[in-house]
Amino acid sequence: MIGCDCPVCTSADPRDKRRRCGAYVTSKEGAFLIDTPPELRLACLEYGIRKVDAVLLTHAHMDHVAAFDDVRRFNTLNGTRVPCAPDAPGAFGRTSRVIGKPLACYALPETIEQMHTIFPYIGIESGKNGLFRPQVAFVDNTVPFEVVGLRVEALRVEHGFPCCGYLISDGSASLGYISDCHAIPDGVVARLKGVDTMVINCLRERDHATHLCLARTLGYLERIASKRAYLIHMCHDLTHRQWLEKLPPGVEPAYDGLEIEVSEVS
Ligand SMILES: [Zn+2]
Ligand SMILES: [Zn+2]
Ligand SMILES: [Zn+2]
């Protein structure tokens, strides 16, 4: 937190340095991001992320989409180099240039609309200076879809704002991911029941109007009955160590850079 001297903000434990949350999901076939939070670029540099085949958005709150423009780099990395005339747009005298590859971006229909308002230049053809706008094909996530060999279902949750979580499966192992909500509809709890790994928001110990907090998060986890669970989206009320002391077996606070192997859960 800017301008805060609390025990979390001044902690020497690297697990207490919390960037805004997102996730990087990989399969044998590729990788996708869940959300493009403000520190996306710094996180990609730190964790050596070079390959992104798609983006899945949970909702258009700024702490989840502010760095969306940075997908341009993945357009370039996924693109192909083609020969061109030196005076062609974007060639700047060179005889070849990169054609960026558009990224599929899955989101709720309301979120797609909000993204066009927040980033009005997305989808407008790049100017003659060449490739500088994100090249994105937005896809309505309401219908379950397959991406990088994984089956994905968007699950609407209550956050006082259009918002969804995701259920991701490779056919044998499954991952539930809900970054923001204050309530999970019964149908969604039923859909998540028995998921191998559940990643779920837990802002703090005290209640909050639009986020799950400790008691409610644990209540949902009991009903979902995942094999294991990780908390995300914590504020600066508690240190990582303090969280560990408050959580039952099988539930852990996540931290920046945490890697989990979903297929290994048994
Ligand atoms: Zn603080
Ligand atoms: Zn939010
Ligand atoms: Zn959030």
Side-chain angles (χ1 to χ4, degrees):
M1 182 72 82
I2 292 171
C4 183
D5 300 313
C6 80
V8 175
C9 293
T10 56
S11 167
D13 186 339
R15 296 170 305 180
D16 289 326
K17 300 288 173 240
R18 296 175 189 146
R19 284 179 274 227
R20 269 65 65 90
C21 72
Y24 180 62
V25 178
T26 64
S27 73
K28 286 189 197 84
E29 291 178 30
F32 58 80
L33 292 170
I34 303 182
D35 290 333
T36 54
E39 296 90 356
L40 175 69
R41 178 170 164 271
L42 300 176
C44 288
L45 291 172
E46 181 169 345
Y47 305 124
I49 291 171
R50 296 165 162 262
K51 175 85 181 141
V52 171
D53 298 298
V55 178
L56 278 58
L57 295 179
T58 59
H59 65 309
H61 275 159
M62 268 304 165
D63 56 327
H64 296 264
V65 300
F68 193 77
D69 191 83
D70 285 330
V71 306
R72 286 181 300 140
R73 180 60 183 151
F74 297 110
N75 292 145
T76 304
L77 288 171
N78 294 346
T80 39
R81 184 163 281 280
V82 295
C84 70
D87 57 353
F92 301 113
R94 290 173 300 212
T95 53
S96 73
R97 69 186 189 102
V98 173
I99 304 283
K101 188 177 170 197
L103 274 187
C105 174
Y106 299 86
L108 292 173
E110 302 97 304
T111 306
I112 295 173
E113 223 181 292
Q114 289 164 335
M115 290 299 284
H116 283 298
T117 308
I118 300 168
F119 301 96
Y121 56 91
I122 291 176
I124 298 171
E125 213 176 295
S126 289
K128 67 170 180 222
N129 293 340
L131 180 68
F132 63 94
R133 292 188 174 114
Q135 297 176 51
V136 183
F138 282 109
V139 184
D140 181 339
N141 68 9
T142 320
V143 180
F145 55 95
E146 213 182 283
V147 61
V148 299
L150 302 174
R151 192 183 152 75
V152 182
E153 251 178 78
L155 308 168
R156 275 186 190 267
V157 290
E158 290 169 36
H159 185 42
F161 195 81
C163 184
C164 69
Y166 287 101
L167 173 60
I168 301 161
S169 163
D170 69 355
S172 57
S174 55
L175 167 74
Y177 185 93
I178 295 179
S179 71
D180 290 61
C181 76
H182 58 89
I184 306 175
D186 288 346
V188 172
V189 173
R191 197 69 199 92
L192 288 167
K193 198 161 171 62
V195 74
D196 293 306
T197 302
M198 186 67 212
V199 177
I200 188 168
N201 70 138
C202 189
L203 190 71
R204 60 190 189 191
E205 202 166 14
R206 296 171 292 135
D207 282 348
H208 186 276
T210 58
H211 288 274
L212 290 178
C213 295
L214 185 60
R216 287 170 65 76
T217 298
L218 292 182
Y220 281 118
L221 284 178
E222 220 174 285
R223 290 172 60 199
I224 291 168
S226 54
K227 294 197 181 91
R228 63 178 176 178
Y230 294 91
L231 307 187
I232 54 170
H233 214 303
M234 288 83 83
C235 76
H236 61 149
D237 279 13
L238 295 171
T239 63
H240 189 85
R241 272 177 190 284
Q242 287 171 320
W243 273 113
L244 283 170
E245 286 160 17
K246 290 182 189 291
L247 298 172
V251 184
E252 284 176 38
Y255 53 88
D256 286 20
L258 172 68
E259 281 184 50
I260 57 179
E261 187 83 43
V262 175
S263 58
E264 274 177 7
V265 188
S266 55

